Each structure stands twice: as structure tokens, then as C-alpha cells.
Amino acid sequence: MVIDGTSHTDAEFTAMTTGGSKFAVTPVVKKSAAVQVADQLVAAIRDEHLKAGDKLPSERELAQNFDVSRPTIREALAALELAGLAKSHKGRGTIVTGSSAAVATWGVEVLPPQVFEARLAIEPSLAALAAEKRYPEDLDMLEATLAKLEAEFAETGAYGSDLPLHRAIARAARNPILEQSLEEALRHVGGPLWSELRRRALAEPNVRGGPHGGVTHGDQAHQGGQG
């Protein structure tokens, strides 16, 4: 589709007909203040007004310049850090790490705090349902998933990711709506910072401890597979 001499994909526009004339419109997208701040900072990186190694102004200065609150600035900077475009250093502030080439496909829709909020709302319910239903085949799947994670730890001294366990618990809950909701949240946990956060969290000694000692097939009265 060509509009004003510019070529666009059909997916970007919806044709609207009125009074015998047809024209293209773009969907209205509502963005949070934090997303708008992040978008503007990324645009500055893309246009090379900000380059790798540049230090961003302080949170207070950014908040004043954008006329938003400091928590909004923190959300925006966290989004950039998760995308690998900036890095926060204690005592030094936030440094740009991305280049114009790295932001070619930038688009922020969901911010890190929103992902954490969603997972905190969804995963306890999934775990409770899995514990209540306790289908034997699901318990076997959980055992196998745990064994694979422990084998990885024994070989490398670290866990690459605990997401397979989260997904196994979600499947064991046997609620496709909640499971899909979790998958939608997990879709946003890519990027180098998420990987580093997981690595640090899984490196804590108490992650491998705890009283559960693994998945158990006990408590037969709660076997969900028995009706």
C-alpha cells in the first residue's frame, strides 16, 4: 500500500470507507508514560544523539526534562537495560551500551515491573492447582524436569534457566487459560539482563535447598487423576 508516496505493509493499516472515498488509518495505540520515555531515549540512540559509552542524565534530571515521576524514569531505564541498550552502574549512573543498529527493531509494550506483577498473580494459582490435582503423569514430568535441572547443575555448577520447571508446573495445573497467561508473561523475559537476574537468583544456596526434597507422589487422597 502506498500513502503519500510512502510504501507500507497492509498489516500497518486498515482501510476505511466513507462518503464513497477510501483511505487508510493506523490503529490507535495507548502507551504508558514509561514506554514513551523509553521510546524517546531509544530514538536518540537510533539517531546517534546518544552513543555507546554516553552517560545519561540523572533520574531527577530525566524526570524534570520529561515532566514525569522518577519511578516512571526507573521503569523506562529498566526496559532499556533489559533490552541491552543501557546499563546502570552504582555510583556512575546509567551508561548507553547499545548502538543505532541495535535498536532497529525496538518496541516496548510491556515493562519489567508489569511482568513481575503478572507472574506473581498467575504462578501461585498454577502451583496451587498443580498441588491439588496431582496427576501421576504430571508428577512424573515434574520429577524428570527437576532431574534434568540437577544434572545440569552437577555438570556446570549452575542452572541455565528454571523456566522449564515453571512451565512444567503450569502444565500440571491443567488449566489452559492460566497456562497461556503465564506463557504470555514469559514471552517478555528475554534479553541479557533477565538471563543475568536468573543466573544470580539460581546461584543462591537456598535455591537448591528447602524441605521438599523433590516432587513426591504421596498423599494419595489428593491424586487429581482419581477423579
Side-chain angles (χ1 to χ4, degrees), residues 85-153:
L85 301 177
K87 187 170 181 59
S88 177
H89 298 274
K90 188 174 181 180
R92 292 178 54 201
T94 301
I95 307 299
V96 175
T97 57
S99 63
S100 59
V103 302
T105 58
W106 166 264
V108 173
E109 295 179 357
V110 178
L111 295 170
Q114 295 169 328
V115 175
F116 287 122
E117 289 169 356
R119 293 185 66 181
L120 285 173
I122 298 166
E123 294 201 63
S125 296
L126 286 167
L129 286 171
E132 177 184 346
K133 295 178 179 179
R134 301 175 63 82
Y135 282 79
E137 57 268 38
D138 293 334
L139 295 176
D140 290 340
M141 174 185 61
L142 286 167
E143 286 278 16
T145 303
L146 282 171
K148 187 174 181 180
L149 287 172
E150 289 301 322
E152 177 186 18
F153 188 90

Short mmCIF file of all heavy atoms in Angstrom, two decimals, residues 85-153:
data_model
loop_
_atom_site.label_atom_id
_atom_site.label_comp_id
_atom_site.label_asym_id
_atom_site.label_seq_id
_atom_site.Cartn_x
_atom_site.Cartn_y
_atom_site.Cartn_z
N LEU A 85 20.38 -2.13 25.93
CA LEU A 85 20.73 -0.83 25.34
C LEU A 85 21.37 0.12 26.33
O LEU A 85 21.91 1.15 25.94
CB LEU A 85 19.47 -0.18 24.75
CG LEU A 85 18.76 -0.98 23.67
CD1 LEU A 85 17.50 -0.27 23.23
CD2 LEU A 85 19.69 -1.22 22.48
N ALA A 86 21.29 -0.20 27.61
CA ALA A 86 21.89 0.65 28.64
C ALA A 86 22.23 -0.21 29.84
O ALA A 86 21.68 -1.32 29.99
CB ALA A 86 20.94 1.78 29.04
N LYS A 87 23.10 0.29 30.68
CA LYS A 87 23.47 -0.46 31.88
C LYS A 87 23.67 0.51 33.03
O LYS A 87 24.34 1.54 32.88
CB LYS A 87 24.75 -1.26 31.66
CG LYS A 87 25.08 -2.19 32.82
CD LYS A 87 26.20 -3.12 32.47
CE LYS A 87 26.54 -4.07 33.62
NZ LYS A 87 25.40 -4.90 34.02
N SER A 88 23.07 0.17 34.17
CA SER A 88 23.17 1.02 35.35
C SER A 88 24.38 0.59 36.17
O SER A 88 24.60 -0.59 36.43
CB SER A 88 21.90 0.89 36.19
OG SER A 88 22.01 1.66 37.36
N HIS A 89 25.18 1.57 36.57
CA HIS A 89 26.36 1.32 37.40
C HIS A 89 26.24 2.11 38.70
O HIS A 89 25.99 3.32 38.67
CB HIS A 89 27.64 1.76 36.66
CG HIS A 89 27.89 1.02 35.39
ND1 HIS A 89 28.57 -0.19 35.35
CD2 HIS A 89 27.54 1.32 34.11
CE1 HIS A 89 28.64 -0.59 34.09
NE2 HIS A 89 28.03 0.29 33.33
N LYS A 90 26.39 1.42 39.81
CA LYS A 90 26.29 2.09 41.09
C LYS A 90 27.36 3.18 41.20
O LYS A 90 28.54 2.93 41.02
CB LYS A 90 26.46 1.08 42.23
CG LYS A 90 26.18 1.66 43.61
CD LYS A 90 26.22 0.57 44.67
CE LYS A 90 25.91 1.15 46.04
NZ LYS A 90 25.93 0.10 47.10
N GLY A 91 26.91 4.39 41.49
CA GLY A 91 27.82 5.50 41.64
C GLY A 91 28.20 6.18 40.34
O GLY A 91 28.78 7.27 40.35
N ARG A 92 27.88 5.56 39.22
CA ARG A 92 28.23 6.13 37.91
C ARG A 92 27.02 6.51 37.09
O ARG A 92 27.13 7.23 36.10
CB ARG A 92 29.08 5.14 37.10
CG ARG A 92 30.47 4.89 37.67
CD ARG A 92 31.18 3.86 36.81
NE ARG A 92 31.19 4.24 35.39
CZ ARG A 92 31.36 3.36 34.41
NH1 ARG A 92 31.52 2.08 34.67
NH2 ARG A 92 31.37 3.78 33.15
N GLY A 93 25.86 6.02 37.47
CA GLY A 93 24.66 6.31 36.70
C GLY A 93 24.42 5.29 35.60
O GLY A 93 24.97 4.19 35.62
N THR A 94 23.63 5.66 34.63
CA THR A 94 23.26 4.76 33.53
C THR A 94 24.05 5.11 32.28
O THR A 94 24.05 6.26 31.83
CB THR A 94 21.75 4.85 33.24
OG1 THR A 94 21.03 4.50 34.42
CG2 THR A 94 21.36 3.89 32.12
N ILE A 95 24.70 4.09 31.72
CA ILE A 95 25.55 4.27 30.54
C ILE A 95 24.89 3.61 29.34
O ILE A 95 24.39 2.48 29.44
CB ILE A 95 26.95 3.66 30.77
CG1 ILE A 95 27.56 4.19 32.06
CG2 ILE A 95 27.86 3.95 29.57
CD1 ILE A 95 27.78 5.68 32.10
N VAL A 96 24.90 4.29 28.22
CA VAL A 96 24.38 3.71 26.98
C VAL A 96 25.32 2.60 26.51
O VAL A 96 26.54 2.80 26.46
CB VAL A 96 24.25 4.79 25.88
CG1 VAL A 96 23.81 4.16 24.56
CG2 VAL A 96 23.25 5.86 26.31
N THR A 97 24.76 1.45 26.18
CA THR A 97 25.57 0.33 25.70
C THR A 97 25.18 -0.10 24.29
O THR A 97 25.91 -0.84 23.64
CB THR A 97 25.45 -0.88 26.63
OG1 THR A 97 24.07 -1.25 26.74
CG2 THR A 97 25.99 -0.57 28.02
N GLY A 98 24.00 0.34 23.83
CA GLY A 98 23.53 -0.05 22.51
C GLY A 98 23.94 0.94 21.43
O GLY A 98 24.30 2.08 21.72
N SER A 99 23.86 0.47 20.19
CA SER A 99 24.19 1.32 19.05
C SER A 99 22.93 1.54 18.21
O SER A 99 21.89 0.94 18.46
CB SER A 99 25.27 0.66 18.18
OG SER A 99 24.77 -0.56 17.64
N SER A 100 23.04 2.40 17.21
CA SER A 100 21.89 2.66 16.34
C SER A 100 21.42 1.38 15.66
O SER A 100 20.23 1.17 15.47
CB SER A 100 22.25 3.72 15.31
OG SER A 100 23.36 3.29 14.52
N ALA A 101 22.37 0.50 15.30
CA ALA A 101 21.99 -0.76 14.64
C ALA A 101 21.22 -1.68 15.58
O ALA A 101 20.38 -2.46 15.14
CB ALA A 101 23.24 -1.47 14.12
N ALA A 102 21.48 -1.56 16.87
CA ALA A 102 20.86 -2.46 17.84
C ALA A 102 19.41 -2.13 18.13
O ALA A 102 18.70 -2.92 18.73
CB ALA A 102 21.65 -2.43 19.15
N VAL A 103 18.96 -0.96 17.70
CA VAL A 103 17.59 -0.54 18.02
C VAL A 103 16.68 -0.54 16.80
O VAL A 103 15.59 0.01 16.83
CB VAL A 103 17.58 0.86 18.67
CG1 VAL A 103 18.41 0.87 19.92
CG2 VAL A 103 18.07 1.93 17.71
N ALA A 104 17.12 -1.18 15.74
CA ALA A 104 16.34 -1.17 14.51
C ALA A 104 14.94 -1.74 14.70
O ALA A 104 13.98 -1.30 14.07
CB ALA A 104 17.08 -1.94 13.41
N THR A 105 14.80 -2.74 15.57
CA THR A 105 13.50 -3.38 15.77
C THR A 105 12.94 -3.10 17.15
O THR A 105 12.14 -3.86 17.66
CB THR A 105 13.63 -4.90 15.57
OG1 THR A 105 14.61 -5.41 16.51
CG2 THR A 105 14.08 -5.24 14.16
N TRP A 106 13.37 -1.99 17.76
CA TRP A 106 12.92 -1.66 19.11
C TRP A 106 11.41 -1.45 19.16
O TRP A 106 10.80 -0.89 18.28
CB TRP A 106 13.61 -0.40 19.60
CG TRP A 106 12.98 0.20 20.83
CD1 TRP A 106 12.07 1.20 20.86
CD2 TRP A 106 13.22 -0.18 22.17
NE1 TRP A 106 11.73 1.48 22.15
CE2 TRP A 106 12.41 0.64 22.98
CE3 TRP A 106 14.03 -1.14 22.78
CZ2 TRP A 106 12.39 0.54 24.36
CZ3 TRP A 106 14.02 -1.24 24.15
CH2 TRP A 106 13.22 -0.41 24.93
N GLY A 107 10.82 -1.91 20.26
CA GLY A 107 9.40 -1.66 20.51
C GLY A 107 9.08 -2.12 21.91
O GLY A 107 9.13 -3.31 22.19
N VAL A 108 8.77 -1.20 22.81
CA VAL A 108 8.44 -1.56 24.18
C VAL A 108 6.94 -1.55 24.35
O VAL A 108 6.29 -0.55 24.09
CB VAL A 108 9.07 -0.57 25.19
CG1 VAL A 108 8.59 -0.87 26.60
CG2 VAL A 108 10.57 -0.67 25.14
N GLU A 109 6.38 -2.67 24.77
CA GLU A 109 4.96 -2.73 25.07
C GLU A 109 4.73 -3.08 26.53
O GLU A 109 3.78 -2.62 27.15
CB GLU A 109 4.27 -3.77 24.19
CG GLU A 109 4.31 -3.42 22.70
CD GLU A 109 3.66 -4.47 21.85
OE1 GLU A 109 3.23 -5.50 22.41
OE2 GLU A 109 3.58 -4.28 20.62
N VAL A 110 5.60 -3.92 27.07
CA VAL A 110 5.44 -4.38 28.45
C VAL A 110 6.72 -4.09 29.20
O VAL A 110 7.83 -4.39 28.72
CB VAL A 110 5.14 -5.89 28.50
CG1 VAL A 110 5.04 -6.36 29.93
CG2 VAL A 110 3.84 -6.19 27.75
N LEU A 111 6.61 -3.52 30.39
CA LEU A 111 7.77 -3.15 31.19
C LEU A 111 8.03 -4.20 32.26
O LEU A 111 7.12 -4.95 32.67
CB LEU A 111 7.54 -1.79 31.83
CG LEU A 111 7.42 -0.63 30.83
CD1 LEU A 111 6.95 0.62 31.54
CD2 LEU A 111 8.76 -0.39 30.14
N PRO A 112 9.29 -4.30 32.73
CA PRO A 112 9.66 -5.34 33.70
C PRO A 112 8.77 -5.43 34.93
O PRO A 112 8.35 -6.54 35.32
CB PRO A 112 11.10 -4.95 34.08
CG PRO A 112 11.61 -4.27 32.86
CD PRO A 112 10.46 -3.50 32.30
N PRO A 113 8.43 -4.32 35.61
CA PRO A 113 7.56 -4.46 36.78
C PRO A 113 6.21 -5.09 36.46
O PRO A 113 5.64 -5.81 37.28
CB PRO A 113 7.38 -3.00 37.26
CG PRO A 113 8.57 -2.29 36.74
CD PRO A 113 8.86 -2.91 35.41
N GLN A 114 5.72 -4.84 35.24
CA GLN A 114 4.44 -5.43 34.85
C GLN A 114 4.57 -6.94 34.67
O GLN A 114 3.63 -7.69 34.97
CB GLN A 114 3.95 -4.77 33.55
CG GLN A 114 3.63 -3.29 33.73
CD GLN A 114 3.42 -2.58 32.42
OE1 GLN A 114 4.02 -2.93 31.40
NE2 GLN A 114 2.55 -1.58 32.42
N VAL A 115 5.74 -7.39 34.18
CA VAL A 115 5.96 -8.83 34.05
C VAL A 115 5.99 -9.49 35.43
O VAL A 115 5.36 -10.53 35.65
CB VAL A 115 7.28 -9.10 33.30
CG1 VAL A 115 7.58 -10.60 33.26
CG2 VAL A 115 7.22 -8.55 31.89
N PHE A 116 6.71 -8.87 36.38
CA PHE A 116 6.76 -9.42 37.73
C PHE A 116 5.37 -9.45 38.36
O PHE A 116 4.99 -10.44 39.01
CB PHE A 116 7.71 -8.60 38.60
CG PHE A 116 9.16 -8.81 38.29
CD1 PHE A 116 9.96 -7.74 37.91
CD2 PHE A 116 9.74 -10.06 38.35
CE1 PHE A 116 11.31 -7.92 37.62
CE2 PHE A 116 11.08 -10.27 38.05
CZ PHE A 116 11.87 -9.20 37.68
N GLU A 117 4.60 -8.40 38.18
CA GLU A 117 3.25 -8.36 38.74
C GLU A 117 2.39 -9.47 38.17
O GLU A 117 1.63 -10.14 38.89
CB GLU A 117 2.61 -7.00 38.45
CG GLU A 117 3.20 -5.85 39.24
CD GLU A 117 2.73 -4.49 38.76
OE1 GLU A 117 2.00 -4.44 37.75
OE2 GLU A 117 3.12 -3.49 39.38
N ALA A 118 2.49 -9.67 36.85
CA ALA A 118 1.69 -10.71 36.21
C ALA A 118 2.06 -12.09 36.72
O ALA A 118 1.19 -12.92 37.03
CB ALA A 118 1.87 -10.64 34.69
N ARG A 119 3.36 -12.35 36.82
CA ARG A 119 3.79 -13.67 37.28
C ARG A 119 3.40 -13.92 38.74
O ARG A 119 3.01 -15.04 39.10
CB ARG A 119 5.30 -13.82 37.10
CG ARG A 119 5.71 -13.85 35.63
CD ARG A 119 7.19 -14.12 35.45
NE ARG A 119 7.54 -15.45 35.91
CZ ARG A 119 8.78 -15.95 35.89
NH1 ARG A 119 9.77 -15.21 35.43
NH2 ARG A 119 9.02 -17.17 36.32
N LEU A 120 3.47 -12.88 39.56
CA LEU A 120 3.06 -13.03 40.96
C LEU A 120 1.57 -13.29 41.07
O LEU A 120 1.11 -13.96 42.01
CB LEU A 120 3.42 -11.77 41.76
CG LEU A 120 4.90 -11.62 42.11
CD1 LEU A 120 5.17 -10.26 42.75
CD2 LEU A 120 5.35 -12.73 43.06
N ALA A 121 0.80 -12.80 40.12
CA ALA A 121 -0.64 -13.03 40.13
C ALA A 121 -1.00 -14.41 39.60
O ALA A 121 -1.98 -15.03 40.04
CB ALA A 121 -1.35 -11.96 39.31
N ILE A 122 -0.21 -14.92 38.65
CA ILE A 122 -0.56 -16.16 37.95
C ILE A 122 0.05 -17.40 38.59
O ILE A 122 -0.62 -18.41 38.81
CB ILE A 122 -0.12 -16.07 36.47
CG1 ILE A 122 -0.86 -14.93 35.77
CG2 ILE A 122 -0.37 -17.39 35.75
CD1 ILE A 122 -0.26 -14.56 34.43
N GLU A 123 1.35 -17.36 38.87
CA GLU A 123 2.07 -18.59 39.22
C GLU A 123 1.65 -19.22 40.55
O GLU A 123 1.61 -20.45 40.64
CB GLU A 123 3.58 -18.35 39.17
CG GLU A 123 4.05 -18.05 37.75
CD GLU A 123 5.53 -18.29 37.55
OE1 GLU A 123 5.97 -19.44 37.68
OE2 GLU A 123 6.24 -17.30 37.26
N PRO A 124 1.33 -18.45 41.60
CA PRO A 124 0.85 -19.11 42.81
C PRO A 124 -0.43 -19.91 42.58
O PRO A 124 -0.60 -21.00 43.14
CB PRO A 124 0.61 -17.94 43.78
CG PRO A 124 1.57 -16.89 43.32
CD PRO A 124 1.57 -17.01 41.83
N SER A 125 -1.30 -19.41 41.73
CA SER A 125 -2.53 -20.13 41.41
C SER A 125 -2.23 -21.41 40.65
O SER A 125 -2.84 -22.47 40.89
CB SER A 125 -3.48 -19.25 40.59
OG SER A 125 -3.89 -18.13 41.34
N LEU A 126 -1.29 -21.33 39.71
CA LEU A 126 -0.90 -22.53 38.97
C LEU A 126 -0.30 -23.57 39.90
O LEU A 126 -0.61 -24.77 39.81
CB LEU A 126 0.11 -22.16 37.88
CG LEU A 126 -0.45 -21.43 36.65
CD1 LEU A 126 0.69 -20.85 35.82
CD2 LEU A 126 -1.28 -22.39 35.81
N ALA A 127 0.56 -23.14 40.80
CA ALA A 127 1.19 -24.08 41.74
C ALA A 127 0.15 -24.72 42.66
O ALA A 127 0.21 -25.92 42.94
CB ALA A 127 2.24 -23.36 42.57
N ALA A 128 -0.82 -23.91 43.11
CA ALA A 128 -1.86 -24.45 43.99
C ALA A 128 -2.71 -25.48 43.27
O ALA A 128 -3.05 -26.54 43.83
CB ALA A 128 -2.74 -23.31 44.51
N LEU A 129 -3.05 -25.22 42.01
CA LEU A 129 -3.85 -26.17 41.23
C LEU A 129 -3.06 -27.45 40.97
O LEU A 129 -3.61 -28.57 41.04
CB LEU A 129 -4.28 -25.54 39.91
CG LEU A 129 -5.38 -24.48 40.00
CD1 LEU A 129 -5.56 -23.78 38.65
CD2 LEU A 129 -6.70 -25.13 40.43
N ALA A 130 -1.77 -27.30 40.65
CA ALA A 130 -0.94 -28.47 40.41
C ALA A 130 -0.84 -29.34 41.67
O ALA A 130 -0.91 -30.57 41.60
CB ALA A 130 0.45 -28.05 39.95
N ALA A 131 -0.70 -28.69 42.83
CA ALA A 131 -0.61 -29.43 44.09
C ALA A 131 -1.93 -30.11 44.43
O ALA A 131 -1.95 -31.18 45.02
CB ALA A 131 -0.20 -28.48 45.21
N GLU A 132 -3.02 -29.49 44.05
CA GLU A 132 -4.34 -30.06 44.34
C GLU A 132 -4.67 -31.23 43.43
O GLU A 132 -5.20 -32.26 43.88
CB GLU A 132 -5.40 -28.96 44.18
CG GLU A 132 -6.83 -29.45 44.39
CD GLU A 132 -7.85 -28.37 44.13
OE1 GLU A 132 -7.47 -27.18 44.05
OE2 GLU A 132 -9.04 -28.72 43.99
N LYS A 133 -4.33 -31.12 42.17
CA LYS A 133 -4.73 -32.15 41.19
C LYS A 133 -3.80 -33.35 41.21
O LYS A 133 -4.25 -34.50 41.17
CB LYS A 133 -4.81 -31.52 39.80
CG LYS A 133 -5.91 -30.48 39.70
CD LYS A 133 -5.96 -29.81 38.34
CE LYS A 133 -7.09 -28.79 38.30
NZ LYS A 133 -7.18 -28.08 36.99
N ARG A 134 -2.50 -33.12 41.19
CA ARG A 134 -1.51 -34.17 41.38
C ARG A 134 -1.74 -35.39 40.49
O ARG A 134 -1.76 -36.53 40.96
CB ARG A 134 -1.46 -34.59 42.85
CG ARG A 134 -1.11 -33.47 43.79
CD ARG A 134 -1.20 -33.90 45.26
NE ARG A 134 -0.25 -34.94 45.58
CZ ARG A 134 1.03 -34.72 45.87
NH1 ARG A 134 1.51 -33.49 45.87
NH2 ARG A 134 1.83 -35.71 46.15
N TYR A 135 -1.88 -35.20 39.21
CA TYR A 135 -1.99 -36.33 38.30
C TYR A 135 -0.65 -37.06 38.28
O TYR A 135 0.41 -36.43 38.19
CB TYR A 135 -2.34 -35.85 36.89
CG TYR A 135 -3.79 -35.49 36.70
CD1 TYR A 135 -4.28 -34.26 37.15
CD2 TYR A 135 -4.67 -36.37 36.10
CE1 TYR A 135 -5.62 -33.92 36.97
CE2 TYR A 135 -6.00 -36.04 35.92
CZ TYR A 135 -6.47 -34.81 36.36
OH TYR A 135 -7.80 -34.48 36.19
N PRO A 136 -0.67 -38.39 38.34
CA PRO A 136 0.59 -39.15 38.38
C PRO A 136 1.53 -38.81 37.22
O PRO A 136 2.74 -38.66 37.42
CB PRO A 136 0.12 -40.61 38.31
CG PRO A 136 -1.25 -40.58 38.90
CD PRO A 136 -1.85 -39.27 38.46
N GLU A 137 0.99 -38.69 36.01
CA GLU A 137 1.86 -38.40 34.86
C GLU A 137 2.49 -37.00 34.98
O GLU A 137 3.61 -36.78 34.51
CB GLU A 137 1.09 -38.52 33.54
CG GLU A 137 -0.15 -37.64 33.43
CD GLU A 137 -1.43 -38.34 33.88
OE1 GLU A 137 -1.35 -39.10 34.87
OE2 GLU A 137 -2.47 -38.11 33.24
N ASP A 138 1.77 -36.08 35.61
CA ASP A 138 2.32 -34.74 35.80
C ASP A 138 3.43 -34.75 36.85
O ASP A 138 4.44 -34.05 36.72
CB ASP A 138 1.23 -33.76 36.22
CG ASP A 138 0.22 -33.52 35.11
OD1 ASP A 138 0.59 -33.68 33.93
OD2 ASP A 138 -0.93 -33.18 35.43
N LEU A 139 3.25 -35.56 37.89
CA LEU A 139 4.29 -35.68 38.90
C LEU A 139 5.55 -36.30 38.30
O LEU A 139 6.67 -35.90 38.62
CB LEU A 139 3.79 -36.52 40.08
CG LEU A 139 2.64 -35.91 40.88
CD1 LEU A 139 2.17 -36.88 41.96
CD2 LEU A 139 3.05 -34.58 41.50
N ASP A 140 5.35 -37.28 37.41
CA ASP A 140 6.50 -37.88 36.71
C ASP A 140 7.22 -36.83 35.87
O ASP A 140 8.46 -36.79 35.82
CB ASP A 140 6.03 -39.03 35.82
CG ASP A 140 5.58 -40.24 36.62
OD1 ASP A 140 5.97 -40.35 37.80
OD2 ASP A 140 4.81 -41.06 36.08
N MET A 141 6.43 -35.98 35.20
CA MET A 141 7.01 -34.93 34.37
C MET A 141 7.81 -33.94 35.22
O MET A 141 8.91 -33.52 34.86
CB MET A 141 5.91 -34.19 33.62
CG MET A 141 6.38 -32.98 32.82
SD MET A 141 5.01 -32.06 32.08
CE MET A 141 4.09 -31.55 33.55
N LEU A 142 7.27 -33.60 36.39
CA LEU A 142 7.98 -32.69 37.29
C LEU A 142 9.27 -33.31 37.80
O LEU A 142 10.30 -32.64 37.89
CB LEU A 142 7.06 -32.30 38.45
CG LEU A 142 5.94 -31.31 38.12
CD1 LEU A 142 4.93 -31.26 39.26
CD2 LEU A 142 6.51 -29.92 37.86
N GLU A 143 9.20 -34.59 38.15
CA GLU A 143 10.41 -35.30 38.59
C GLU A 143 11.47 -35.28 37.51
O GLU A 143 12.66 -35.03 37.78
CB GLU A 143 10.06 -36.75 38.96
CG GLU A 143 9.31 -36.91 40.28
CD GLU A 143 10.23 -36.89 41.48
OE1 GLU A 143 11.40 -36.46 41.34
OE2 GLU A 143 9.79 -37.31 42.56
N ALA A 144 11.06 -35.55 36.26
CA ALA A 144 12.01 -35.57 35.15
C ALA A 144 12.61 -34.19 34.91
O ALA A 144 13.81 -34.07 34.63
CB ALA A 144 11.31 -36.07 33.88
N THR A 145 11.79 -33.16 35.03
CA THR A 145 12.28 -31.80 34.84
C THR A 145 13.29 -31.42 35.92
O THR A 145 14.35 -30.84 35.64
CB THR A 145 11.11 -30.79 34.86
OG1 THR A 145 10.16 -31.15 33.84
CG2 THR A 145 11.60 -29.37 34.61
N LEU A 146 12.97 -31.77 37.16
CA LEU A 146 13.90 -31.50 38.26
C LEU A 146 15.21 -32.26 38.08
O LEU A 146 16.29 -31.73 38.33
CB LEU A 146 13.25 -31.87 39.59
CG LEU A 146 12.24 -30.87 40.17
CD1 LEU A 146 11.52 -31.48 41.37
CD2 LEU A 146 12.94 -29.58 40.58
N ALA A 147 15.09 -33.52 37.67
CA ALA A 147 16.29 -34.33 37.48
C ALA A 147 17.19 -33.73 36.40
O ALA A 147 18.43 -33.72 36.53
CB ALA A 147 15.90 -35.76 37.10
N LYS A 148 16.58 -33.22 35.34
CA LYS A 148 17.36 -32.62 34.26
C LYS A 148 18.06 -31.36 34.75
O LYS A 148 19.24 -31.12 34.42
CB LYS A 148 16.44 -32.29 33.09
CG LYS A 148 17.17 -31.80 31.85
CD LYS A 148 16.22 -31.63 30.68
CE LYS A 148 16.96 -31.18 29.43
NZ LYS A 148 16.04 -31.01 28.27
N LEU A 149 17.37 -30.55 35.56
CA LEU A 149 17.98 -29.34 36.11
C LEU A 149 19.14 -29.69 37.04
O LEU A 149 20.19 -29.05 37.02
CB LEU A 149 16.93 -28.51 36.85
CG LEU A 149 15.91 -27.77 35.98
CD1 LEU A 149 14.82 -27.15 36.86
CD2 LEU A 149 16.58 -26.70 35.14
N GLU A 150 18.95 -30.71 37.87
CA GLU A 150 20.01 -31.12 38.80
C GLU A 150 21.21 -31.69 38.05
O GLU A 150 22.35 -31.47 38.45
CB GLU A 150 19.47 -32.14 39.80
CG GLU A 150 18.50 -31.54 40.83
CD GLU A 150 19.15 -30.43 41.63
OE1 GLU A 150 20.35 -30.54 41.99
OE2 GLU A 150 18.46 -29.43 41.90
N ALA A 151 20.94 -32.41 36.96
CA ALA A 151 22.04 -32.95 36.16
C ALA A 151 22.84 -31.80 35.53
O ALA A 151 24.07 -31.84 35.45
CB ALA A 151 21.49 -33.87 35.07
N GLU A 152 22.13 -30.77 35.08
CA GLU A 152 22.79 -29.60 34.51
C GLU A 152 23.66 -28.91 35.56
O GLU A 152 24.79 -28.53 35.28
CB GLU A 152 21.74 -28.62 33.99
CG GLU A 152 22.33 -27.33 33.43
CD GLU A 152 21.26 -26.32 33.04
OE1 GLU A 152 20.11 -26.44 33.51
OE2 GLU A 152 21.58 -25.39 32.27
N PHE A 153 23.12 -28.80 36.79
CA PHE A 153 23.88 -28.17 37.86
C PHE A 153 25.12 -28.98 38.20
O PHE A 153 26.20 -28.44 38.44
CB PHE A 153 23.00 -27.99 39.10
CG PHE A 153 23.66 -27.18 40.18
CD1 PHE A 153 23.51 -25.80 40.22
CD2 PHE A 153 24.44 -27.78 41.16
CE1 PHE A 153 24.11 -25.04 41.21
CE2 PHE A 153 25.06 -27.04 42.15
CZ PHE A 153 24.89 -25.66 42.18
#
